Amino acid sequence: MAQATANSMFVDTETPKKIAIIGGGLVGSLSACFLAKRGYQVDVYERREDIRRAEKVVGKSINLALSHRGRTALRAVGLEKHIVAEGIPMRARMIHSLDETTHPVPYGTREDHFIISIDRRRLNEVMLTLAESQPNVTLHFGHKLVRCNLHTGRMLFQLSDNINERVEKFADSIIGCDGAHSAVRDAMLKQAGFQYQQEYIEHGYIELVTPPTKNGEYAMPPNYLHIWPRMTFMLIALPNLDKSFTTTLFMPFDKFSQLRSPETVVDFFRTTFPDALNLIGEESLVKDFLGTKPSSLISVKCKPYHFGKAIIIGDAAHAMVPFYGQGMNAGFLDCLRLDELLEEYNGNFAFLQKGCIQNLPEECRSIHMQSLIWPCITISRCGIW
């Protein structure tokens, strides 16, 4: 049950008991852990199959950079040690110049000033398992939200294993953690007074892999976020536990469109990222580069973050481009702030009626506003990761 507070004698008889979380990603699984700790019956509905059993996962695969903000939220539910063990500390940026020289730019001056590189899929798998280990959390995969009534809490889902079958569910409160293309937010768009803005930037990204050396070691020093800044585009590489680096190229779509053959791709890398080309290998580069299409990047702003029985958090509320490395961290901070509001309101969702937009931490708002700045500013300055 909800933790006791100084005002716990005034128990709200309308305290919701059944919570539906839409989206089983990072923010959804962490939110489930927070709510389970408070004694709610939590149902997590995820449109995809269980990624822990999938050979290939559709969606973003850019490595994540876990910072102090995200760790603070994980610490509040006792998950910090579990998650940190899955990553690799990055104590500085390693800047790769065109002449193949490198120089580090530390994140701080103390030993504990670092961020952590974590594989997105692995982190999601660990968080789902930790959420599922709670006796009052149930995970429902293959459930695509078709529509929801923000005022009654009724939801209609389409089942992925039978597109002709739909099921209706009910919850006392609905938490939309379903990402930048949120179905819960779509329902809010129909409400008078809801403000929404989205922007697709002109940059896209392609993910590559820098493999381990022939001796099975890291091809570059592992405790760095490697960056090749080149004005309007950049290459980054984050270390993985298997001694590889997840390597991502961010670049305007019109530049991607000029690289359509093995020769143009190799020539481009030889001219702009010569040291990276040697580490990735021409054959692997061509295969990965031409074997996929550049993915788009979107920013989302909206307000308020709630209507009726529903609230949206994470990317559903404030998606941002990845150059600042704070999307996950801001989403985790949302989970923590939501828990703090539940504590303040004796474990119920009465704060929804008073408006929670003003309660969003100032640092989350400022991070989101910064993310809307022309990304080339960030690229040319090598990022603020």
Side-chain angles (χ1 to χ4, degrees), residues 9 14 26-27 38 53 59 138 158 227 253 273 294 312 366 375:
M9 65 182 70
E14 295 184 358
L26 300 173
V27 174
R38 289 191 170 275
R53 298 176 174 83
T138 304
Q158 178 179 300
I227 307 177
F253 281 102
F273 309 117
I312 52 176
S366 63

Side-chain angles (χ1 to χ4, degrees), residues 101-150:
T101 60
T102 61
H103 67 275
V105 180
Y107 285 109
T109 58
R110 301 204 316 252
E111 184 68 19
D112 61 343
H113 285 173
F114 61 87
I115 59 177
I116 299 172
S117 171
I118 299 183
D119 175 77
R120 177 185 293 272
R121 175 176 178 173
R122 178 58 184 157
L123 177 58
N124 202 170
E125 290 174 346
V126 170
M127 304 244 348
L128 282 171
T129 299
L130 290 170
E132 194 174 41
S133 68
Q134 305 299 314
N136 49 337
V137 174
T138 304
L139 306 181
H140 306 269
F141 295 100
H143 280 63
K144 179 183 178 181
L145 182 65
V146 176
R147 63 174 178 267
C148 64
N149 189 312
L150 304 177

Side-chain angles (χ1 to χ4, degrees), residues 10 41 110 151 175 197-198 201 242 258 284 347 360-361 372:
F10 302 106
Q41 179 60 48
R110 301 204 316 252
H151 302 286
I175 302 179
Q197 177 184 337
Q198 72 175 38
I201 68 171
D242 65 359
Q258 298 172 20
S284 295
L360 183 69
L372 299 178

Side-chain angles (χ1 to χ4, degrees), residues 63-252:
N63 267 42
L64 300 166
L66 179 65
S67 71
H68 173 73
R69 291 183 180 90
R71 293 180 66 175
T72 299
L74 293 171
R75 190 179 308 128
V77 285
L79 298 183
E80 184 183 19
K81 290 184 178 179
H82 292 279
I83 302 306
V84 169
E86 296 292 329
I88 299 173
M90 298 185 295
R91 303 187 181 280
R93 312 163 190 83
M94 182 65 78
I95 307 303
H96 294 248
S97 301
L98 190 58
D99 62 4
E100 302 189 43
T101 60
T102 61
H103 67 275
V105 180
Y107 285 109
T109 58
R110 301 204 316 252
E111 184 68 19
D112 61 343
H113 285 173
F114 61 87
I115 59 177
I116 299 172
S117 171
I118 299 183
D119 175 77
R120 177 185 293 272
R121 175 176 178 173
R122 178 58 184 157
L123 177 58
N124 202 170
E125 290 174 346
V126 170
M127 304 244 348
L128 282 171
T129 299
L130 290 170
E132 194 174 41
S133 68
Q134 305 299 314
N136 49 337
V137 174
T138 304
L139 306 181
H140 306 269
F141 295 100
H143 280 63
K144 179 183 178 181
L145 182 65
V146 176
R147 63 174 178 267
C148 64
N149 189 312
L150 304 177
H151 302 286
T152 66
R154 296 202 172 276
M155 303 163 289
L156 185 66
F157 294 92
Q158 178 179 300
L159 304 185
S160 62
D161 57 358
N162 186 348
I163 60 175
N164 296 317
E165 184 178 357
R166 295 185 173 185
V167 295
E168 189 176 58
K169 300 289 184 179
F170 167 83
D172 294 293
S173 292
I174 300 170
I175 302 179
C177 306
D178 48 342
H181 304 285
S182 169
V184 179
R185 191 185 64 232
D186 283 347
M188 293 182 177
L189 281 170
K190 300 178 178 67
Q191 306 299 311
F194 186 73
Q195 305 295 322
Y196 174 73
Q197 177 184 337
Q198 72 175 38
E199 178 185 359
Y200 281 96
I201 68 171
E202 66 174 271
H203 287 68
Y205 71 91
I206 278 182
E207 184 177 294
L208 309 166
V209 176
T210 300
T213 65
K214 293 180 179 179
N215 296 327
E217 298 299 327
Y218 285 104
M220 298 178 288
N223 296 118
Y224 297 91
L225 192 162
H226 293 265
I227 307 177
W228 291 257
R230 301 294 186 264
M231 296 304 292
T232 59
F233 53 88
M234 71 175 178
L235 187 72
I236 67 171
L238 282 74
N240 297 310
L241 292 175
D242 65 359
K243 304 295 181 71
S244 68
F245 285 84
T246 297
T247 307
T248 309
L249 175 62
F250 297 96
M251 192 164 63

